[in-house]
Amino acid sequence: MNCQIVQKHLTAYMKNGLDKQTHRQFALHIATCDPCAQQLDEARLLEEALYAEAASQRPFLSRTASQRIQQNMAQRLQRALWWQRTRTLLQTGVTVALTLFIFGFLLSTFWLSLQNEVTNSSVVELAEREVEVLETAVPTVLPQTLLNDPNSHPSLTPFDSLQSATPGFTPEQLSHLIVETALQGDEEALRNYFVAMPSWRDPTITIWRHFARRCASTVQASDLEYLRISTKQMVVVSVNLIYDDAVVGEIKLRQFNGEWFAIFTRPPAVNQCLIEQRSK
Amino acid sequence: MDELVKRCQQGDLAAFAELFAQCETRVYRLALTILRNEQDAEDAVQDVFLRVFEQINRYRGQAAFTTWLTTITVNSCRDKLRRKKVRQAFSLDWLRNVASQQRVPEQVDQRQERRKLWQAVDRLDEKYRLPAILHYYERLSCDEVAIVLNIRTSTVYSRLNTARLKLRALMAEEERVWQGGMEHS
């Protein structure tokens, strides 16, 4: 123990902040060292003076000042409370908006995934049924589900399983072929060029058979007028058969899977007109 | 006091008013001692109680409420010292006081000596001044000072030791100046 250490830790010694052994060593040193004892006395006197002056200087807050502080605080507290309430409201609003947004987003995502699932399942179902397709425009084999309940798969049409009897033909070429085949009276070949459900196909063929029988000598394949109609959903080519400036026959053509098919023909009433003209 | 604090934590405004009435003088005295400016001390009282109002729920009772309150007061005063540089302004006040005392020498009694001693405390760096104020003026123990200033107790001892040595030097210097003034007059 030396004087330097004692002076450095004198306050700790005075405040009993040293461990017992060190405190005892300090006490022994101070008892035998006059300069350190003097330092300790001075330090105690200084502390007493500080304590005494602090005790004598006890300023108090005047009543006016206290009231002023309280008024100011009340105003600031009111502002703070108003802001706190506003902030809470804003936070609640933002939270609700975010929740709604997230909920809507999740719901729409779920809805879309559900839609995709339905579509995918239809495609899978269709793909799983390997439909044997003949060289004909008429759907000979339909998916079993469609036959049982035509409304169960609204996106599925009888034409989805078609193969064209005239692959690569343009609407004009197909129309020419139909008219020529009809004029030649080849009813079996004609049947292959028309797409329809069985209940529709037979009347269609009948119409063209009558047409061939009555107009064979006068109507040429060149007497055809073409009209292309485009809609958002499809492109339809309408082929009109003109005789003496009157439309006596009509074929509607549509494209499926990149190939053109005849889907519709003019009703018999027009053919009646043709018959009347011929009789004149 | 603990009961009052609990009521404040439950949002009882009447309890808060009572707490203010009980502690305002204590806070004001400490703020005035640190800031040495009545207006700043009043502002500090407002700040301290607003902070208490905002943060009362954070008080968990680890230390005495008065220690917690003192911590907030000291921090608030430190902020004010930093922001407004009150300390520099006050140093000028102190110099004016010393100058006036030099011009009109009074009878040197014990009380005047003690007042000079506290004026010397105000000339210390904040590092030594705050522990001195909290210990000698607020009568906080060295452990409590350590909690308030967020330092170790051994550091408090060390700073008080240094503060005492610096005070002795300042007082000796003051004595020389005063004696020189007397001889000149």
Side-chain angles (χ1 to χ4, degrees), chain A residues 7 11 15 47 66 68, chain B residues 24 29 42 135-137 161:
Chain A
Q7 285 175 20
T11 304
K15 307 293 175 191
E47 284 210 322
S66 175
R68 189 168 56 239
Chain B
E24 61 172 346
R29 279 175 185 169
E42 285 181 21
H135 182 64
Y136 297 117
Y137 195 88
N161 212 54

Side-chain angles (χ1 to χ4, degrees), chain A residues 7-8 11 15 17 39 42 46-47 50-51 53 57-59 61 65-66 68 70 72 76-77, chain B residues 20 24 28-29 42 46-47 49-50 53 111 114 117-118 135-137 139 157 161 164 168:
Chain A
Q7 285 175 20
K8 191 177 175 187
T11 304
K15 307 293 175 191
Q39 287 270 341
E42 277 183 18
L46 190 71
E47 284 210 322
L50 284 166
Y51 283 133
E53 179 58 17
Q57 279 188 0
R58 286 291 176 193
L61 194 59
S66 175
R68 189 168 56 239
Q70 286 184 51
N72 288 343
R76 286 174 68 173
L77 277 175
Chain B
F20 177 83
E24 61 172 346
Y28 176 72
R29 279 175 185 169
E42 285 181 21
Q46 274 185 50
D47 289 343
F49 280 98
L50 284 170
F53 185 76
R111 188 178 168 80
R114 291 200 307 242
L117 191 59
W118 270 102
H135 182 64
Y136 297 117
Y137 195 88
R139 295 291 183 112
Y157 293 143
N161 212 54
R164 187 170 42 76
R168 199 174 63 178

Side-chain angles (χ1 to χ4, degrees), chain A residues 255-276:
Chain A
Q255 202 173 26
F256 299 107
N257 302 325
E259 293 296 342
W260 286 92
F261 295 93
I263 55 167
F264 176 73
T265 192
R266 196 76 168 176
V270 178
N271 287 300
Q272 190 61 37
C273 166
L274 176 64
I275 293 161
E276 284 170 10

Side-chain angles (χ1 to χ4, degrees), chain A:
Chain A
M1 188 61 58
N2 60 41
C3 298
Q4 208 177 351
I5 294 176
V6 169
Q7 285 175 20
K8 191 177 175 187
H9 298 286
L10 199 56
T11 304
Y13 172 73
M14 287 161 66
K15 307 293 175 191
N16 292 322
L18 299 171
D19 61 76
K20 277 185 182 173
Q21 194 184 348
T22 316
H23 189 89
R24 206 175 300 124
Q25 287 174 347
F26 263 64
L28 274 172
H29 178 87
I30 288 165
T32 56
C33 176
D34 284 345
C36 286
Q38 196 181 345
Q39 287 270 341
L40 181 63
D41 286 343
E42 277 183 18
R44 282 185 173 145
L45 281 172
L46 190 71
E47 284 210 322
E48 279 172 19
L50 284 166
Y51 283 133
E53 179 58 17
S56 68
Q57 279 188 0
R58 286 291 176 193
F60 64 93
L61 194 59
S62 69
R63 192 174 177 79
T64 319
S66 175
Q67 283 174 347
R68 189 168 56 239
I69 289 172
Q70 286 184 51
Q71 281 174 357
N72 288 343
M73 275 181 56
Q75 287 174 357
R76 286 174 68 173
L77 277 175
Q78 275 179 349
R79 279 201 297 271
L81 285 172
W82 177 86
W83 173 237
Q84 200 175 11
R85 276 197 296 268
T86 310
R87 199 171 51 190
T88 309
L89 276 173
L90 282 173
Q91 281 173 347
T92 310
V94 169
T95 308
V96 168
L98 272 175
T99 309
L100 284 174
F101 176 76
I102 291 169
F103 181 72
F105 178 75
L106 289 176
L107 197 68
S108 62
T109 309
F110 174 71
W111 175 253
L112 282 174
S113 68
L114 205 66
Q115 289 293 308
N116 286 339
E117 218 169 89
V118 168
T119 311
N120 291 339
S121 70
S122 303
V123 170
V124 169
E125 199 172 322
L126 191 64
E128 281 172 354
R129 296 172 187 280
E130 288 184 3
V131 179
E132 192 181 344
V133 181
L134 302 177
E135 280 289 321
T136 172
V138 180
T140 52
V141 181
L142 290 172
Q144 198 60 37
T145 48
L146 188 67
L147 290 175
N148 294 340
D149 180 12
N151 295 321
S152 64
H153 292 274
S155 63
L156 203 64
T157 70
F159 312 115
D160 288 337
S161 61
L162 294 182
Q163 277 195 355
S164 174
T166 55
F169 271 37
T170 61
E172 291 79 2
Q173 289 171 327
L174 184 58
S175 312
H176 272 279
L177 186 64
I178 289 170
V179 173
E180 280 172 5
T181 308
L183 292 175
Q184 289 163 11
D186 190 348
E187 192 176 322
E188 201 54 42
L190 195 63
R191 187 183 292 272
N192 286 339
Y193 304 139
F194 279 92
V195 175
M197 297 293 282
S199 56
W200 284 23
R201 186 180 54 179
D202 288 337
T204 304
I205 302 304
T206 308
I207 291 165
W208 282 93
R209 197 173 62 228
H210 286 302
F211 164 77
R213 194 179 301 151
R214 294 180 181 171
C215 307
S217 57
T218 54
V219 175
Q220 304 296 315
S222 58
D223 293 332
L224 298 173
E225 183 183 275
Y226 298 96
L227 182 66
R228 187 180 282 259
I229 305 162
S230 297
T231 65
K232 280 182 183 174
Q233 288 78 23
M234 64 183 87
V235 178
V236 176
V237 173
S238 181
V239 185
N240 290 334
L241 187 61
I242 310 295
Y243 182 75
D244 273 356
D245 296 322
V247 177
V248 295
E250 185 187 44
I251 310 165
K252 282 268 194 287
L253 303 168
R254 262 194 69 182
Q255 202 173 26
F256 299 107
N257 302 325
E259 293 296 342
W260 286 92
F261 295 93
I263 55 167
F264 176 73
T265 192
R266 196 76 168 176
V270 178
N271 287 300
Q272 190 61 37
C273 166
L274 176 64
I275 293 161
E276 284 170 10
Q277 283 188 356
R278 276 181 65 84
S279 63
K280 286 175 187 174

